[in-house]
Amino acid sequence: MYSKTTLALKYIQYLLRAKNGRGHGIHAPFVYDFVEHVLQCKTQPSYFAAIENLRQNLLADQQTITIRDFGAGSRVFSGLERKVSGIARTSLKPRKYSRLLHHIIAYYQPATIVELGTSLGITTAYLAQANPRAQVITLEGADAIATIAKENFSKLSINNVELMLGDFKDTLPLVTQRFRQIDFAFIDGNHSKAPTLQYFDKLLPSMGNDSILVFDDIHWSAEMEAAWAEIQARQEVRLTIDLFFVGLVFFRREQLQKQDVTIRY
């Protein structure tokens, strides 16, 4: 993983090359529509407050749990014992990006949503609430964390989430076998090149023309940047949008010319 200094320098480089986040200078109609209706969306449903209140409770939770980490590790923790507050502080997606994912789903209304990396369930809650009619399948490797996430879904009265426990290499194939098409997937799991590309390849046959893949932390490390570059180069991918902390992948076959766009967000 990159050091904080390196990551900060890369973020400055991103800001310098990114297109305006209000759509100025963006001529592709689909991308402009995405900027207008997703990136600039200011809607704040009433349940946002309940989710963020729960986030604050998790940040204050001093309970210690024992976890098993299948991913690329943590910047902060070593060993198996971690406080819930520490997990919340380092692992939960910031409110800004949780709400971005919510706005994507609220606008495009995917019916089948898959999340790799439940953590404590805050981002999952935003995904599920964005389209209560959707079926949300979220995958988590650590049983102690999964238990807390399930409790949080109950506290928020969320009923359209199914949590699958286990290593992604075991659970993701079960999901792709079960659903002919996955409309939206958020990959926030093992932040290493090989697993990330494996997740992409496993999900690819389930991607429809209008499906959306979102990869977390695409600039987190040299490995993740290499994985992102390979995904961008894939023939099946017609459009990518780089928002620095997340990258979006679209498969719109009607878009004859491949396009990789970096937008300030």
Side-chain angles (χ1 to χ4, degrees):
M1 68 188 74
Y2 286 132
S3 67
K4 290 183 179 180
T5 300
T6 301
L7 198 60
L9 290 173
K10 286 188 168 291
Y11 186 70
I12 292 171
Q13 294 170 355
Y14 152 78
L15 292 176
L16 291 174
R17 72 175 184 272
K19 293 184 179 294
N20 189 284
R22 295 187 178 276
H24 305 307
I26 297 175
H27 304 293
F30 181 85
V31 178
Y32 186 88
D33 185 75
F34 172 81
V35 171
E36 182 180 16
H37 291 100
V38 177
L39 294 191
Q40 295 188 53
C41 181
K42 305 300 182 185
T43 302
Q44 295 193 33
S46 58
Y47 50 77
F48 275 14
I51 297 175
E52 288 306 315
N53 285 338
L54 184 53
R55 184 199 296 270
Q56 293 306 311
N57 291 339
L58 293 168
L59 287 167
D61 191 339
Q62 297 302 303
Q63 174 189 183
T64 298
I65 60 174
T66 302
I67 70 169
R68 179 184 177 191
D69 187 359
F70 289 107
S74 167
R75 292 179 184 271
V76 179
F77 301 106
S78 61
L80 302 178
E81 300 291 327
R82 302 184 189 177
K83 287 186 177 181
V84 172
S85 59
I87 297 170
R89 187 179 67 255
T90 60
S91 299
L92 296 182
K93 291 304 295 175
R95 180 178 65 179
K96 176 180 179 178
Y97 290 93
S98 295
R99 292 184 177 184
L100 168 65
L101 297 173
H102 172 278
H103 295 325
I104 294 171
I105 290 171
Y107 185 61
Y108 294 109
Q109 290 290 289
T112 306
I113 298 167
V114 174
E115 177 187 37
L116 275 68
T118 313
S119 187
L120 300 171
I122 294 296
T123 301
T124 320
Y126 276 106
L127 300 178
Q129 296 277 43
N131 183 8
R133 296 183 300 277
Q135 188 167 12
V136 181
I137 309 297
T138 184
L139 312 184
E140 175 56 46
D143 53 357
I145 292 178
T147 297
I148 296 174
K150 289 179 180 179
E151 292 172 355
N152 290 334
F153 301 150
S154 179
K155 290 175 183 177
L156 294 168
S157 300
I158 293 174
N159 300 310
N160 60 327
V161 173
E162 177 184 343
L163 193 154
M164 295 181 66
L165 180 64
D167 195 325
F168 296 164
K169 68 179 177 59
D170 299 320
T171 54
L172 183 56
L174 298 177
V175 174
T176 56
Q177 291 168 16
R178 180 172 161 189
F179 296 100
R180 184 180 62 83
Q181 178 170 303
I182 295 170
D183 302 311
F184 179 94
F186 176 48
I187 294 85
D188 181 18
N190 189 322
H191 288 37
S192 301
K193 179 182 178 181
T196 298
L197 293 175
Q198 289 167 8
Y199 303 149
F200 176 83
D201 288 332
K202 179 59 66 174
L203 286 163
L204 186 59
S206 301
M207 295 291 102
N209 188 66
D210 299 317
S211 297
I212 302 170
L213 277 179
V214 181
F215 288 88
D216 187 50
D217 285 337
I218 57 173
H219 296 286
W220 189 71
S221 66
E223 281 199 28
M224 284 301 293
E225 288 188 325
W228 176 243
E230 287 197 26
I231 289 167
Q232 287 180 306
R234 291 292 295 267
Q235 182 179 358
E236 300 89 348
V237 173
R238 307 310 300 164
L239 167 67
T240 66
I241 298 178
D242 182 344
L243 302 177
F244 191 77
F245 289 106
V246 296
L248 288 79
V249 175
F250 299 86
F251 301 90
R252 307 174 66 251
R253 300 184 188 93
E254 64 272 26
Q255 182 169 319
L256 300 181
Q257 184 174 354
K258 286 172 65 70
Q259 187 178 18
D260 300 314
V261 183
T262 301
I263 301 175
R264 185 175 297 186
Y265 180 64

